[in-house]
Amino acid sequence: MTSSSDRSLAVDVHTPKSYEIRTYGCQMNVHDSERLAGLLEDAGYVRAPEGADGEADVVVFNTCAVRENADNRLYGNLGHLAPKKARRPGMQIAVGGCLAQKDRDTIVKRAPWVDVVFGTHNIGKLPVLLERARVQEEAQVEIAESLEAFPSTLPTRRESAYAAWVSISVGCNNTCTFCIVPALRGKEKDRRPGDILAEVEALVAEGVSEITLLGQNVNAYGSDIGDREAFSKLLRACGSIDGLERVRFTSPHPRDFTDDVIAAMAETPNVMPQLHMPLQSGSDTVLKAMRRSYRQERYLGIIDKVRAAIPHAAITTDIIVGFPGETEEDFEQTLHVVREARFAQAFTFQYSKRPGTPAATMDGQIPKQTVQARYERLVALQEQISWDENKAQVGRTLDLMVAEGEGRKDGTTHRLSGRAPDNRLVHFTKPAQEVRPGDVVTVDITYAAPHHLLAEGETLDVRRTRAGDAWAKRNAEPAQPAGVMLGLPQIGAPAPLPAATGGCSAR
């Protein structure tokens, strides 16, 4: 954690500098960016206006290393900033996150105008490294090999007044052959339950009504503290926090998804009927090659148990197409699981090599055209299933938590948008009375599209909430520059439920 003496180095509070954060990747990175924003604001920086496009005094890239073109994206963006930096003495550029952890020795060589490179384990050092780079007039590269401070101990600038991420663990103990994340995030380290619950209670006291428990392998929580039922106990404990209306979690692993977790989900009223359960492949042969410690029968058995305990649960997933050695028969097994599981949505990915992973050097790399053809077949199947599953929602009466910024066409359609308990996105007719993000409305579903629902009639009820009050209070405060630019890239298709994944598609 940054010491008080470190922070005194940061910036002159009388001449505050602006910052912009560009984030790529999973929810873990989004949450880390909230920490980075909090650190910078704690050090006296102010957020640049939305759309600053590199005109801030400090531009921070929080990177992802999962996708094949991650480095191309980074260096392209850095190249775009080089002439702007040359024209603006004092401007600084920092690169952090998974790609920085992996490519620590090459970033400054390829982009010598970068001022700071930091890793996934030492995000708390960013303000100090920026000041050190300014004073010494040379790039600062500092990559820690193990976690220096649990991220939740750092200052935070949360992007929502009514919903919040709560990290319960960092790192991952799995050895999936396609995934580089464990090498970059380290072994799993769990927070103490009391610390987690204290953070949740503090958030609720501030007006937050929905929290998402976050971890690279969230339901393995407890392995580091020696309690195999720690995650289900944590879910139940969240159920006793007064004022906490919605609890979600992402992303679990089928290996660790035990019956006590299903029971806790079903028996805890504020744990939402939503589950993101990564599949990756429906073929036992491919799952073995991926080092996924479950097989098709086990996976479908979990889905059956969840549906028996929580009939209205929306289940989403991750799927990789074209893993090395995948045959047509293997791919047909994936399609079979998709038909049987009937996912509400799926994050679908074409396999891409990641240097440093065992899969990158495996025999049987699949030709691009074959992968593309299989991918398109999978997307078409899942698109139809998603639409059919959404059609089954028509006629239901649902309570929606009103969302901010979820409906891109709301202004022209005179609608608002919200999330159902199962996290489906619903656009609804704007009621006559004021409705704020964080408030809860009751609506009848009248129409279904593959990726959203409509409630075209009158709103049945509006419940003003403490979360809505918190949103109103934040927006009534003296105007601040617009929010941290959390620019999540669009990967895969179809467009999924935004809060569904959390493990870089690798869990």
Side-chain angles (χ1 to χ4, degrees):
M1 189 172 179
T2 307
S3 67
S4 57
S5 60
D6 285 338
R7 289 179 189 168
S8 67
L9 294 171
V11 292
D12 182 352
V13 296
H14 299 296
T15 56
K17 296 182 178 181
S18 61
Y19 73 89
E20 172 190 343
I21 299 177
R22 301 185 186 184
T23 305
Y24 306 97
C26 66
Q27 281 89 338
M28 192 70 72
N29 273 19
V30 175
H31 190 40
D32 282 350
S33 287
E34 292 185 328
R35 303 294 178 191
L36 293 171
L39 284 160
L40 291 171
E41 294 190 8
D42 196 48
Y45 293 81
V46 297
R47 292 185 298 169
E50 187 174 353
D53 192 25
E55 297 300 325
D57 296 304
V58 173
V59 179
V60 183
F61 291 88
N62 191 6
T63 63
C64 171
V66 171
R67 307 306 294 159
E68 187 173 23
N69 67 348
D71 51 352
N72 293 334
R73 178 188 293 267
L74 172 65
Y75 292 113
N77 284 326
L78 290 176
H80 176 71
L81 289 183
K84 294 186 178 183
K85 189 173 191 292
R87 293 194 303 268
R88 298 182 58 208
M91 178 184 177
Q92 291 184 296
I93 300 172
V95 179
C98 289
L99 196 64
Q101 189 81 18
K102 181 175 78 72
D103 292 347
R104 63 192 76 181
D105 298 323
T106 61
I107 291 175
V108 174
K109 290 179 182 178
R110 291 185 61 178
W113 54 92
V114 168
D115 299 277
V116 171
V117 179
F118 62 101
T120 60
H121 299 307
N122 64 332
I123 65 175
K125 288 290 186 68
L126 176 60
V128 174
L129 293 173
L130 287 168
E131 181 64 9
R132 193 183 299 162
R134 186 188 67 80
V135 172
Q136 298 182 9
E137 297 185 338
E138 63 179 11
Q140 301 295 309
V141 180
E142 187 169 311
I143 306 291
E145 297 301 330
S146 59
L147 193 68
E148 292 187 348
F150 204 93
S152 292
T153 65
L154 301 174
T156 305
R157 205 305 176 186
R158 297 187 183 271
E159 288 308 298
S160 172
Y162 56 89
W165 307 106
V166 176
S167 184
I168 69 171
S169 65
V170 295
C172 180
N173 293 336
N174 293 319
T175 58
C176 301
T177 56
F178 57 80
C179 183
I180 199 169
V181 171
L184 304 178
R185 290 279 182 178
K187 293 292 185 181
E188 181 177 328
K189 185 171 180 59
D190 297 334
R191 290 177 74 189
R192 294 174 50 195
D195 292 341
I196 297 168
L197 294 171
E199 181 180 356
V200 174
E201 289 171 348
L203 289 167
V204 172
E206 294 172 5
V208 168
S209 61
E210 175 179 308
I211 60 113
T212 300
L213 303 175
L214 185 63
Q216 297 290 159
N217 185 8
V218 70
N219 62 320
Y221 176 76
S223 62
D224 185 48
I225 56 179
D227 184 354
R228 287 184 56 82
E229 295 189 353
F231 185 63
S232 61
K233 293 175 182 176
L234 183 62
L235 291 178
R236 293 182 186 276
C238 287
S240 64
I241 297 176
D242 187 41
L244 179 57
E245 298 195 17
R246 295 186 173 191
V247 178
R248 307 186 191 277
F249 58 89
T250 193
S251 281
H253 192 294
R255 181 195 65 188
D256 303 298
F257 207 82
T258 50
D259 291 348
D260 61 296
V261 174
I262 298 173
M265 291 178 66
E267 296 166 8
T268 310
N270 64 355
V271 176
M272 294 294 95
Q274 173 212 349
L275 175 64
H276 184 76
M277 181 65 73
L279 170 64
Q280 309 303 5
S281 174
S283 163
D284 289 353
T285 301
V286 174
L287 289 170
K288 183 178 180 180
M290 289 178 168
R291 290 188 198 152
R292 301 288 288 181
S293 50
Y294 56 89
R295 299 296 178 259
Q296 179 187 122
E297 183 179 4
R298 158 77 171 154
Y299 185 92
L300 288 175
I302 294 171
I303 301 300
D304 289 342
K305 288 181 179 180
V306 170
R307 288 239 162 87
I310 315 167
H312 288 300
I315 300 175
T316 57
T317 196
D318 298 330
I319 301 173
I320 296 173
V321 177
F323 187 81
E326 180 188 72
T327 65
E328 181 63 25
E329 182 180 354
D330 292 327
F331 178 65
E332 287 291 346
Q333 288 299 306
T334 295
L335 297 181
H336 168 71
V337 175
V338 169
R339 294 186 186 100
E340 291 293 311
R342 301 197 63 78
F343 300 113
Q345 295 284 357
F347 289 75
T348 51
F349 303 88
Q350 296 185 37
Y351 170 75
S352 59
K353 289 184 180 181
R354 296 311 297 139
T357 63
T361 57
M362 284 182 175
D363 294 334
Q365 301 288 328
I366 311 297
K368 170 65 177 177
Q369 61 269 29
T370 302
V371 177
Q372 181 68 33
R374 290 176 182 171
Y375 176 79
E376 291 173 1
R377 289 163 59 194
L378 173 62
V379 168
L381 173 62
Q382 180 57 53
E383 187 90 352
Q384 186 59 56
I385 291 173
S386 296
W387 198 359
D388 290 343
E389 290 298 301
N390 274 359
K391 288 176 183 176
Q393 304 296 311
V394 173
R396 292 189 64 195
T397 300
L398 299 176
D399 291 332
L400 312 179
M401 182 173 289
V402 181
E404 183 175 28
E406 294 265 29
R408 289 175 294 179
K409 299 180 181 178
D410 283 351
T412 57
T413 58
H414 304 290
R415 294 178 179 139
L416 298 175
S417 298
R419 291 279 171 178
D422 65 8
N423 208 38
R424 282 183 166 92
L425 178 63
V426 182
H427 306 301
F428 63 96
T429 302
K430 188 175 182 179
Q433 65 192 102
E434 180 190 23
V435 179
R436 309 160 302 176
D439 287 339
V440 175
V441 299
T442 304
V443 299
D444 286 334
I445 303 302
T446 59
Y447 176 82
H451 308 300
H452 68 267
L453 301 171
L454 292 182
E456 299 166 299
E458 293 186 4
T459 301
L460 304 180
D461 185 56
V462 174
R463 177 165 62 85
R464 294 173 69 84
T465 66
R466 292 174 59 251
D469 293 342
W471 181 89
K473 179 180 178 181
R474 173 183 285 196
N475 284 272
E477 290 173 352
Q480 297 289 332
V484 180
M485 300 180 68
L486 299 179
L488 285 172
Q490 293 294 322
I491 47 179
L497 298 176
T501 65
C504 304
S505 82
R507 308 278 63 81

